[in-house]
Amino acid sequence: MIATKRERKQSGFSLVELMVGMVLGLMLIAGAVSIYLASKRSYVEVEQVAALTESARFSEQIIGNSLRHAGFFGQVPASLVDTDSNLTAVAGDCTGLASAHNLKQFIFAATAASANVLGCIDDAMPDTDVLVVKHVIARPLMDGPREGLDPNNPEHVNGEIEGLQDEKTYVMTNNVVGRLFDGNDVAPSITSGGAVPGGTAWAYQYEVFYIRDPDPDSNDDTPQLSRKILVYDTGTLAMKVETEDLAEGVENLRVLLGYASGASGEVDTYKTPVEVSSTGNWSDVQSVEVFMLTRSATRDVQYTDKKTYQLGGDPNDPVGPMDDNYRRLISHASISLRNLKLVIRGGA
């Protein structure tokens, strides 16, 4: 039967037309997929860099804030603060100059040769530094008799303080002397002729910063910037040191200590913790250079880290290359130990 003219107009695509259409369609799909993958990769990179920057900034800020307050004990230098006779030993305390109640040395650093360091850490990342800082929180809890004892103020009762928490350690100071005591003990008297006349109470802050090596048996292999702090040991009314994770992904911490060897008290050289410990003269440390290496929490299989990183110290001994799929960011902060400088220049 011969097709009519109308029927010929309604016939479908030819094979050639169909193949051309499919090729054009595949080209459009390939372009869309390419744009999507490029956008996703860019998003992943931006997200990881932002997370790295935020983690590094937070870590730098918390360590810097602690160092800026190092050695601050109210109205007196740390050398004039003694310990209360009822002060109990800290469970799991660090040893030597790093111990919680040794206020004669309020800044100390060491390099972890293994997971065990300073007698209080058993999960440190080897070949990273540990930083110990001691001070009081710069917020007085009461002002003592200088403001006059108000019988209606529950903090001022017969020249002593009430309302201090059992779970904390405090330093009571005036402009002559200070005393470290537990909140669950009787506070030093602040009346005339008392242990600390006209004293002000301050909450004591003890911090040991280090890089915690993750448990190899766990599913999470992300290193952490952690710190040891004093916490209440339930049931014993005593203090113990306990680990607190601060920022994930921080895998290396190195410090250089600004050292003043001359009589001027000005920094003239920088030393590693090992070099300062060999001299034993920590009182000449005037500033701290903090270097941290932070890595992303997740891998990017399309990225390989072949960089080297200089974390202070010997320029011929850089860290890396890692040859893995993690992005990394190095951060650096220089912190002046202003309280120590005030003590030295004040002749105390």
Side-chain angles (χ1 to χ4, degrees):
M1 181 178 178
I2 301 174
T4 64
K5 185 177 181 181
R6 180 176 180 83
E7 287 173 338
R8 286 198 299 271
K9 287 183 177 180
Q10 292 179 347
S11 60
F13 292 107
S14 67
L15 180 59
V16 173
E17 292 173 329
L18 180 60
M19 294 298 292
V20 171
M22 290 178 62
V23 170
L24 292 175
L26 288 174
M27 292 176 62
L28 291 173
I29 293 173
V33 170
S34 177
I35 293 173
Y36 168 75
L37 292 177
S39 299
K40 183 178 180 181
R41 177 170 175 76
S42 177
Y43 172 78
V44 169
E45 182 175 350
V46 170
E47 185 181 49
Q48 288 189 349
V49 171
L52 277 173
T53 303
E54 181 63 26
S55 184
R57 182 185 294 115
F58 175 77
S59 302
E60 185 179 296
Q61 180 180 3
I62 197 168
I63 291 180
N65 184 65
S66 181
L67 284 171
R68 289 183 184 92
H69 288 87
F72 174 68
F73 288 93
Q75 301 99 309
V76 295
S79 60
L80 297 180
V81 180
D82 60 17
T83 57
D84 189 82
S85 58
N86 295 321
L87 195 66
T88 56
V90 175
D93 196 7
C94 297
T95 57
L97 297 177
S99 62
H101 293 164
N102 185 351
L103 301 188
K104 307 308 177 185
Q105 185 57 56
F106 53 80
I107 183 168
F108 181 76
T111 299
S114 66
N116 297 285
V117 60
L118 298 182
C120 58
I121 301 173
D122 60 6
D123 56 356
M125 183 80 75
D127 299 321
T128 63
D129 288 346
V130 179
L131 182 64
V132 183
V133 184
K134 308 167 193 176
H135 61 93
V136 297
I137 297 176
R139 184 176 63 252
L141 302 177
M142 49 81 66
D143 291 326
R146 290 187 306 280
E147 300 294 331
L149 291 178
D150 181 0
N152 297 317
N153 188 336
E155 291 184 343
H156 300 179
V157 178
N158 297 325
E160 296 186 356
I161 306 172
E162 292 186 354
L164 299 181
Q165 300 179 37
D166 291 344
E167 299 85 355
K168 294 183 179 295
T169 301
Y170 299 90
V171 176
M172 184 79 74
T173 66
N174 56 21
N175 57 1
V176 177
V177 68
R179 180 164 296 183
L180 179 72
F181 66 99
D182 285 331
N184 61 303
D185 291 329
V186 177
S189 173
I190 60 174
T191 58
S192 178
V196 188
T200 299
W202 312 77
Y204 177 54
Q205 186 79 15
Y206 171 73
E207 299 169 294
V208 183
F209 296 98
Y210 74 104
I211 304 301
R212 185 172 66 82
D213 198 356
D215 186 350
D217 296 328
S218 69
N219 294 325
D220 186 5
D221 64 347
T222 306
Q224 302 273 349
L225 173 65
S226 302
R227 68 177 174 182
K228 296 282 187 178
I229 57 174
L230 291 179
V231 297
Y232 174 60
D233 192 358
T234 306
T236 64
L237 288 179
M239 305 303 292
K240 66 177 181 179
V241 290
E242 188 170 283
T243 302
E244 178 184 62
D245 290 334
L246 300 175
E248 70 172 2
V250 184
E251 64 179 0
N252 206 326
L253 169 66
R254 297 278 182 87
V255 297
L256 284 178
L257 304 157
Y259 198 77
S261 57
S264 65
E266 296 296 332
V267 172
D268 51 23
T269 185
Y270 286 91
K271 298 186 177 183
T272 65
V274 173
E275 291 171 335
V276 177
S277 292
S278 66
T279 66
N281 199 1
W282 283 89
S283 60
D284 288 333
V285 175
Q286 302 284 301
S287 64
V288 180
E289 302 282 325
V290 180
F291 300 84
M292 281 179 288
L293 184 63
T294 306
R295 80 170 202 200
S296 56
T298 58
R299 295 178 183 270
D300 183 352
V301 295
Q302 298 186 47
Y303 175 83
T304 301
D305 184 9
K306 294 186 175 295
K307 301 176 183 177
T308 58
Y309 303 90
Q310 183 62 47
L311 298 175
D314 185 357
N316 298 316
D317 185 27
V319 176
M322 309 300 185
D323 288 322
D324 59 15
N325 304 117
Y326 291 105
R327 284 187 172 82
R328 286 176 173 83
L329 177 68
I330 189 170
S331 59
H332 166 246
S334 179
I335 297 97
S336 175
L337 302 180
R338 53 193 179 191
N339 292 298
L340 182 54
K341 289 184 176 181
L342 287 174
V343 170
I344 293 175
R345 293 169 184 176

